[in-house]
Structure formats: structure tokens, C-alpha cells
Amino acid sequence: MRNANWKNITTKYKALLGVLLFYIPFHIFLSPTYWDDATFARILGQYQNDLFQYTLDRYLTWSSRITIELALPFLTTWPAFVWKLMDLFMIALLYCDLVWLLEHLFGLREKGMYLLTAVLLCAFPFSIMAQTGWIATTTNYLWVISLGLYAINRMLKAGLLKENVSKGEVLCAALSILYCASFESMAAILLLIETGLLLYCIKNKERCPAIVWICLGLTVIFMIYILGCPGNRLRPVNDAKDWMPEYFELNFLDKLRMGILSSYMHFVSLPSPVFFILNVVIFLSWKGESAGKRVIAAIPVLTDMVWTGWFMVNYLLGWRTFTYQVPAPLPERWTDKLEQGLLLLTVISWFVIVLYTLFHKGRDNQKLPGAVILLLACLPEMAVGLTPTVIASILRTMIYLYMAMILLIVVMIETEKETWAVLAKRFIWVCMGAGVFLNACQIARHILLYG
């Protein structure tokens, strides 16, 4: 048993090393000097290095992300290798966050789990983390989710698993909250989890750990700060002029539709290997079941391919450009209305089938955590859908759903792989290899075009 545990530990860190070896070459060559990175590199000079006035103006006119926006002017003016080293650390932390959840929340400790997680993390389309510039995007999304998951894991360790957390872990979790809770979506996710842990302790008549109270207190402070921010109310007015003039004509359901369709169209308009792999795994999980169930389980992967083919035909016929597709805010043509209606039906069926598969094929300790993680990962996409920047911002926001999908893929594969044929297992690995290759090509293309 001791030898098996040691092999698992070495496999875990070998897989982590593999993730870093994949991302290091790209970090060597990329240049974080354009778009928002360039803007933040100049911004303190415009304020004569007055940090207080800079922060106050941003709060009053633009954003409540105080800790992130305090870091950005320095990271964009310091030598690039500082941010690059920190970004690689955040990628490593994200891998460790995902592995911790798989080990402690889903009860998976097989050697293959570590390799699966590492390969899928390398297949994640990392170029979306350069959408507004490498530094500006990663600090707002990759760093926020890495640090947010770290704090969540420490709270789950103390509040749910009843394990001791060291003073160092409490300090690191509090510092993580100080950074990531200034981001609106992460603050909401943290508040939901912290409240859930508090209610769990009250229900079981247990003492709520200090780390949960500390993180909850910090998150509440940030939520008050966010809700009171004048910039958060003024920004949609300015953004609507630039990104969506129809924004103020949309009702709540229209905005929700924009968030849902923008998310799904990202996965299918340019093929997403991670999304495709999840759909294939769902289909394979129903091996040996009745023909009717197998047909239903095939719907996610079939609709994935059909919609990707449809957008490719649109491109070849000149109806759309070959890029990430977004829905029309106020569809007028019957063809657009039909397309969006079918897309919504596809999304609804996808969620139903994924959750049904999870609850019928997953182990007892995997069902609820898997469903909660998937639903929480949808919150940032829905929140962005309620803003006029949905067309511009949804792409980088997809990191939340991607991490949830990686977790679900690993859980389903490790749960069902013993029932699969060798050919099916090989096909999954071919898809993951293709995903890693496609990710590498996309990152290289972005570096060649922009830096």
C-alpha cells in the first residue's frame, strides 16, 4: 500500500512537471505588450504615480476589481519574466486545485487520474487567456480561478472533511480571497460556498472552522464594495455604445439567452476538443444499456458535430466569418430565430443528459459535487450574458466551464473506463492528444499575430 501511494505521489508531480514543460516554451516567446496590457503600462504615468487617485477614479467610473487593478500597472511595467513566472505558478496551482478536488471531493486517487488532468489542462484553449492582452486577461481570469479554488479547497478541507488546516494555509487562503474576491463572479461563487459550509455546520450542530468565518467575512466586505461601486453601474452604459447598441432594448430573458447561446456557440463554432471529449465520454458511459438510452446518450456528441458542421458550411458559403460566432441580440430574420431556438433546445438537452448521466453512472460521493460544480461554473457565463460586453467577454469567461468539464471528464472516465473496449480508450486518448496539438497551434498563432 505504501509503494502504491508513493507511485501515485510521484505520478502526480510528474504530471505537473509535464504541464509546466508544455506551457514554459510559450511563455518564453509570448510578449505581453499590447491592447489592455499597453494601456495599464501607461496608466500610472497619467496619474503621476498617484495610486489613490487612480484607484478612486477606476472605482467611480469603471470597476470594483481593486486588488486586481492595483496589481496590473506594476505587472505591465516590470520586466516581463516576473509576470511569466507568476503565471506559470498559477497554472501549476490550478492543476493542484483540480487534483485536490478529484482526490478529496470525488475520492479518486488512481495514477491515471493525474495524467488525465494534466493532458486535459494542456488541451484547454489557453489562447483565450490573451483576449485583452496576456497580463490583463490572466490576472482577471486564470489567477482569479486558481486562487479562488485554492481558498475553496482549504475551506472544504476544514468545514466538510473536518481536517486540520495550518496557520499558513489560513493565511494563504485569506490572501487568496483578498485578490480573487474583488472579481464579481468569483465573489458570488465564494459567498455561495461559504454560506453553504456555514449552514452545513449549523445543520450538523458543529463548530464552523475559523478559516470559513475569515473567508466569509472578507467576501462579504468585497460584496458590499462591489454592490456599492458607481463604476459597475456606469460601465454598462459606456460598454453598450461600443459592443451592443441594442442592449437597452433587451429584457432579462433576452440577456439570459445571449449568455447561454454565446457560451454554447463558443464550443461548436470553432471545435472545442475538451467539450467534444466530454460528449464522447457521456456516450461511452452508457455502454451496455438499452438502444434507446444509447441513442439519447449520443445526442450531445451528435449535436456538437452537427452544429460545428453547420457553422463550417456558413463559413464556406460566405454567410459568416471563420471565427468565434455570437448570436444576434435581437434576431429579426426567421432563419436566425429558428437557429437560436434550435440552439437553446440543444443546450437544454445537453444539460439534462449530462446531469442524468452523472446521477445514474457516478458514484454516490460524485453526484452532488459534480452537479454543483457544473452549475456554479455556469454563473460567470450567465452574469456576463446580463452585460453589454457578452460578445467581447464571454470567451475568456469560459475558463470556469472548461475547468468544470475537465473535472467531469476525469470523474466519468475513472468511473467507467473498466467497462470500455480498448478501442474506445484509445480514441479518447487520440482526442486528448489532438486537443493538446490544437491548443499549441492556437497559442503559437496568437503569438505570431499579436505577441
Side-chain angles (χ1 to χ4, degrees):
M1 181 65 70
R2 183 176 297 177
N3 289 337
N5 289 338
W6 176 249
K7 286 182 180 179
N8 285 354
I9 292 171
T10 55
T11 302
K12 178 196 300 188
Y13 292 108
K14 284 180 181 178
L16 172 58
L17 179 61
V19 172
L20 291 175
L21 288 175
F22 174 81
Y23 281 107
I24 283 172
F26 298 112
H27 278 72
I28 290 173
F29 291 105
L30 62 83
S31 177
T33 56
Y34 58 91
W35 299 338
D36 283 5
D37 292 352
T39 299
F40 279 103
R42 298 189 299 267
I43 202 163
L44 273 188
Q46 297 168 358
Y47 282 90
Q48 289 78 46
N49 295 319
D50 188 339
L51 277 175
F52 176 78
Q53 191 60 48
Y54 156 72
T55 304
L56 182 61
D57 283 356
R58 296 292 291 183
Y59 182 73
L60 293 175
T61 63
W62 195 251
S63 171
S64 57
R65 300 174 190 174
I66 177 172
T67 46
I68 299 171
E69 297 216 337
L70 278 173
L72 274 168
F74 296 100
L75 290 171
T76 51
T77 52
W78 288 346
F81 80 88
V82 176
W83 166 80
K84 292 179 180 183
L85 288 175
M86 294 177 71
D87 198 55
L88 288 168
F89 171 79
M90 291 298 175
I91 292 172
L93 179 61
L94 182 56
Y95 167 82
C96 293
D97 289 337
L98 296 175
V99 164
W100 191 95
L101 287 170
L102 290 165
E103 288 178 336
H104 296 86
L105 208 58
F106 293 98
L108 299 176
R109 295 181 183 271
E110 294 83 356
K111 286 176 57 179
M113 177 269 287
Y114 303 111
L115 184 58
L116 280 170
T117 307
V119 174
L120 288 167
L121 198 54
C122 292
F124 158 68
F126 191 75
S127 57
I128 67 174
M129 290 293 99
Q131 195 187 12
T132 60
W134 288 107
I135 297 178
T137 313
T138 54
T139 52
N140 274 278
Y141 294 90
L142 174 64
W143 292 23
V144 165
I145 196 170
S146 295
L147 293 171
L149 282 177
Y150 174 82
I152 290 168
N153 290 349
R154 300 285 79 73
M155 286 188 284
L156 291 175
K157 179 180 178 181
L160 189 64
L161 304 180
K162 308 305 176 188
E163 297 179 9
N164 291 328
V165 291
S166 66
K167 292 180 180 179
E169 288 177 300
V170 174
L171 176 61
C172 289
L175 292 174
S176 297
I177 295 289
L178 283 174
Y179 182 87
C180 69
S182 68
F183 194 98
E184 304 87 353
S185 298
M186 181 54 75
I189 291 172
L190 286 167
L191 186 61
L192 286 172
I193 292 173
E194 291 156 356
T195 304
L197 284 171
L198 181 60
L199 293 175
Y200 174 81
C201 292
I202 293 173
K203 179 184 176 182
N204 291 283
K205 298 180 180 179
E206 299 170 348
R207 182 180 178 184
C208 189
I211 187 173
V212 177
W213 283 113
I214 292 170
C215 292
L216 175 60
L218 291 172
T219 304
V220 168
I221 291 171
F222 273 107
M223 284 298 294
I224 294 171
Y225 185 81
I226 290 167
L227 293 172
C229 177
N232 287 343
R233 295 189 291 273
L234 292 174
R235 186 175 177 181
V237 178
N238 296 321
D239 283 341
K241 297 176 184 177
D242 297 329
W243 298 107
M244 195 190 299
E246 312 93 334
Y247 175 73
F248 294 105
E249 299 177 49
L250 304 179
N251 58 36
F252 176 79
L253 291 178
D254 288 329
K255 295 171 185 176
L256 197 61
R257 167 178 55 84
M258 288 296 293
I260 293 171
L261 294 186
S262 297
S263 300
Y264 187 79
M265 290 172 76
H266 160 73
F267 291 125
V268 295
S269 59
L270 286 178
S272 167
V274 174
F275 184 66
F276 180 75
I277 291 166
L278 175 59
N279 294 333
V280 171
V281 169
I282 290 167
F283 173 68
L284 293 175
S285 296
W286 289 91
K287 181 181 181 296
E289 299 287 345
S290 65
K293 289 182 178 179
R294 295 277 286 169
V295 170
I296 294 173
I299 290 175
V301 68
L302 290 177
T303 51
D304 183 0
M305 292 187 291
V306 167
W307 282 115
T308 299
W310 168 249
F311 287 115
M312 181 62 71
V313 168
N314 274 245
Y315 164 69
L316 293 174
L317 294 178
W319 298 343
R320 283 188 172 98
T321 56
F322 187 54
T323 184
Y324 164 58
Q325 302 296 327
V326 294
L330 291 171
E332 297 179 356
R333 297 183 303 173
W334 72 267
T335 52
D336 288 336
K337 293 179 180 178
L338 177 62
E339 180 186 77
Q340 292 195 17
L342 291 173
L343 279 166
L344 284 171
L345 184 62
T346 302
V347 173
I348 292 170
S349 65
W350 184 87
F351 266 100
V352 171
I353 293 168
V354 170
L355 292 174
Y356 185 81
T357 301
L358 182 63
F359 276 90
H360 281 75
K361 294 295 181 178
R363 300 168 188 167
D364 289 341
N365 66 325
Q366 298 171 348
K367 298 174 183 179
L368 185 59
V372 170
I373 287 172
L374 179 60
L375 295 175
L376 285 177
C378 293
L379 290 181
E381 281 71 29
M382 297 305 97
V384 171
L386 300 177
T387 70
T389 60
V390 58
I391 294 173
S393 301
I394 197 71
L395 196 61
R396 50 190 179 267
T397 311
M398 298 305 296
I399 188 173
Y400 290 87
L401 260 178
Y402 270 116
M403 294 307 113
M405 289 180 179
I406 288 173
L407 290 171
L408 291 180
I409 290 169
V410 176
V411 168
M412 291 182 182
I413 289 178
E414 288 299 313
T415 303
E416 296 291 327
K417 67 180 181 182
E418 297 304 323
T419 64
W420 295 351
V422 174
L423 186 61
K425 296 177 184 177
R426 288 178 178 174
F427 179 69
I428 291 293
W429 279 105
V430 168
C431 291
M432 288 194 290
V436 174
F437 177 74
L438 181 60
N439 181 31
C441 291
Q442 289 174 333
I443 300 173
R445 174 184 176 275
H446 194 97
I447 292 172
L448 289 172
L449 286 177
Y450 305 109

